[in-house]
């Protein structure tokens, strides 16, 4: 079982100044959960399995990190200031009183019940509550809510990722220009820079520094549309694109490849997700995940290639992959 170390967090857990609430600690992908210790001992493995699903970026990465804290421990009063809290109980427990008082309704709603309250003990805080029935098997009642909890956390994290992504605004003017002059459109944040070389369009955000973070989407096309879309041919096309238009060549790690056909806005398409890396002769090692789309646009007799790749060494990558996926999903072609 994982517990928060008070010594590790001592630098963060400062007393509140006067009556003012401080800003919440932590981030949206870290969930501090509190419940009765006996209940946690019954459900801990299932909670971690449901709320810490892994995704493959460069390596296996957890979407969220869940840390348990006994609310009867003396340190709980200060851990209440974290950004994401998950409280589980009947609502009669003393450590749930502040939250329960702020819940909507008169307490007669069916249970188990999931509710959320903001800014209970800190600013920019979200407290998720699972209210369990007073009678019956509380562990089973809580287990029945885990799938819904997982969906709630994932949806809210995606919403946050998109809000951060478009904090500078959506470049709708660029999307209109592309549709008028290039035959396709793509919606990117205004902070993205773009360039064109013949039929190759590059959209890039390397803030704050390209040595720390790069998000890039490249769009190009070929005519005519082949009869079938094959993963190997699409990857070979990407290799040509990278060799001619990227600052450094990118090889592909074929040991972990997810490839499948799908439909985008009614158009036949094919997706490849894998990891790129600089070849051994490059001046420094670099790697990251990429999403590669091939989309057939019959109205133009074009097969489009969309290559979205990420360089984010030492950072969690799930949020950035959500952003790149969203940009790809904004793609439109033809009329």
């Amino acid at each position: 079982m994982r517990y928060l170390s008070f010594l590790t967090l001592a630098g963060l857990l400062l007393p509140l100044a006067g009556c003012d609430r401080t800003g919440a600690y932590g981030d949206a992908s870290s969930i501090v959960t509190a419940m009765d210790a006996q209940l946690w001992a019954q459900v801990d493995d299932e909670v971690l399995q449901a709320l810490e699903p892994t995704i493959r970026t460069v390596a296996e990465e957890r979407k969220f990190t869940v840390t348990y804290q006994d609310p009867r421990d003396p340190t709980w009063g200060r851990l209440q200031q974290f950004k994401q809290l998950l409280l589980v109980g009947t609502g009669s427990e003393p450590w749930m009183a502040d939250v329960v008082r702020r819940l909507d309704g008169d307490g007669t709603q069916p249970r188990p019940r999931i509710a959320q309250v903001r800014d209970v003990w800190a600013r920019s805080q979200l407290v998720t509550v699972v209210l369990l029935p007073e009678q019956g098997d509380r562990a089973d009642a809580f287990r029945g809510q885990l799938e819904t909890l997982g969906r709630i956390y994932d949806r809210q994290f995606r919403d946050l990722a998109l809000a951060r992504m478009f904090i500078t605004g959506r470049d709708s003017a660029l999307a209109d220009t592309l549709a008028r002059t290039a035959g396709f459109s793509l919606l990117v944040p205004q902070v993205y820079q773009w360039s064109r070389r013949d039929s190759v369009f590059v959209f890039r955000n390397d803030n704050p520094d390209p040595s720390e973070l790069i998000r890039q989407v490249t769009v190009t096309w070929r005519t005519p549309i082949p009869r079938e879309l094959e993963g190997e041919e699409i990857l070979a096309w990407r290799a040509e694109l990278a060799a001619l238009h990227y600052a450094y060549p990118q090889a592909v790690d074929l040991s972990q490849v997810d490839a499948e056909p799908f439909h985008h806005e009614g158009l036949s398409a094919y997706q490849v997700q894998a990891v790129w890396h600089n070849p051994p002769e490059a001046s420094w090692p670099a790697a990251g995940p990429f999403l590669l789309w091939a989309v057939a646009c019959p109205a133009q007799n074009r097969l489009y290639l969309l290559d979205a790749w990420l360089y984010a060494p030492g950072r969690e990558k799930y949020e950035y992959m959500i952003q790149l996926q969203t940009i790809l999903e904004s793609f439109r072609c033809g009329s």
Side-chain angles (χ1 to χ4, degrees):
M1 294 187 293
R2 249 175 285 155
Y3 295 87
L4 283 173
S5 167
F6 180 72
L7 293 177
T8 301
L9 298 170
L12 292 175
L13 305 182
L14 302 176
L16 292 175
C19 297
D20 295 333
R21 289 177 299 174
T22 187
Y25 300 118
D27 56 56
S29 64
S30 298
I31 303 170
V32 177
T33 183
M35 66 188 77
D36 182 82
Q38 292 183 342
L39 176 59
W40 175 251
Q42 293 178 271
V43 301
D44 55 352
D45 288 339
E46 292 148 297
V47 171
L48 298 180
Q49 182 177 358
L51 301 187
E52 291 189 341
T54 59
I55 59 169
R56 171 159 288 277
T57 54
V58 174
E60 291 294 333
E61 179 180 315
R62 290 197 300 264
K63 290 184 178 181
F64 302 97
T65 300
V66 178
T67 307
Y68 170 74
Q69 180 63 38
D70 186 341
R72 293 180 174 83
D73 189 282
T75 62
W76 171 242
R78 297 187 177 186
L79 296 176
Q80 289 173 331
Q81 299 171 39
F82 272 72
K83 186 178 294 289
Q84 285 270 22
L85 297 181
L86 171 60
L87 309 187
V88 183
T90 64
S92 60
E93 297 86 351
W95 44 272
M96 294 186 72
D98 290 344
V99 181
V100 171
R101 277 195 294 267
R102 295 184 52 180
L103 293 179
D104 295 331
D106 57 7
T108 62
Q109 292 89 344
R111 297 191 180 190
R113 173 193 173 201
I114 298 174
Q116 292 185 310
V117 183
R118 294 192 177 275
D119 303 337
V120 178
W121 296 292
R123 298 190 307 274
S124 302
Q125 179 185 66
L126 180 62
V127 181
T128 304
V129 184
V130 181
L131 291 174
L132 302 177
E134 295 283 353
Q135 305 296 324
D137 191 324
R138 295 176 185 173
D140 276 349
F142 181 41
R143 291 186 186 103
Q145 302 303 303
L146 287 176
E147 184 177 349
T148 300
L149 270 178
R151 289 197 300 267
I152 289 172
Y153 277 120
D154 189 69
R155 184 188 71 245
Q156 291 177 337
F157 187 81
R158 287 175 177 272
D159 291 343
L160 177 62
L162 297 187
R164 289 173 174 170
M165 172 185 178
F166 287 115
I167 195 169
T168 60
R170 292 166 167 80
D171 201 338
S172 301
L174 173 59
D176 293 342
T177 298
L178 292 170
R180 186 173 61 254
T181 63
F184 74 90
S185 66
L186 202 69
L187 188 60
V188 299
Q190 290 186 356
V191 72
Y192 273 61
Q193 302 296 314
W194 73 282
S195 61
R196 176 180 185 176
R197 182 176 169 187
D198 298 325
S199 61
V200 176
F201 293 74
V202 176
F203 308 87
R204 181 181 174 105
N205 180 3
D206 54 17
N207 293 304
D209 187 285
S211 66
E212 300 177 10
L213 181 61
I214 301 173
R215 286 155 285 181
Q216 180 169 310
V217 179
T218 304
V219 180
T220 189
W221 63 84
R222 285 178 175 173
T223 300
I225 300 172
R227 292 185 178 181
E228 295 183 4
L229 301 180
E230 299 289 345
E232 292 182 1
E233 295 178 0
I234 295 169
L235 285 171
W237 187 3
R238 182 188 191 275
E240 294 176 18
L241 185 70
L244 292 173
H245 298 279
Y246 295 176
Y248 292 91
Q250 294 185 2
V252 175
D253 181 0
L254 296 178
S255 63
Q256 296 287 343
V257 176
D258 292 324
E260 61 180 353
F262 70 106
H263 284 86
H264 173 65
E265 296 294 317
L267 303 174
S268 296
Y270 199 93
Q271 174 176 288
V272 179
Q273 180 172 355
V275 174
W276 66 267
H277 61 86
N278 286 159
E281 63 271 16
S283 57
W284 79 86
F290 70 86
L291 286 171
L292 185 64
W293 279 19
V295 182
C297 191
Q300 298 172 313
N301 196 23
R302 288 179 179 180
L303 177 65
Y304 283 91
L305 187 74
L306 293 79
D307 180 30
W309 59 270
L310 171 69
Y311 176 62
R315 296 175 181 241
E316 294 181 346
K317 298 170 179 59
Y318 180 46
E319 177 176 353
Y320 301 124
M321 294 304 290
I322 291 173
Q323 295 177 359
L324 291 176
Q325 179 83 37
T326 300
I327 292 175
L328 293 185
E329 290 174 351
S330 74
F331 173 78
R332 301 291 185 272
C333 65
S335 58

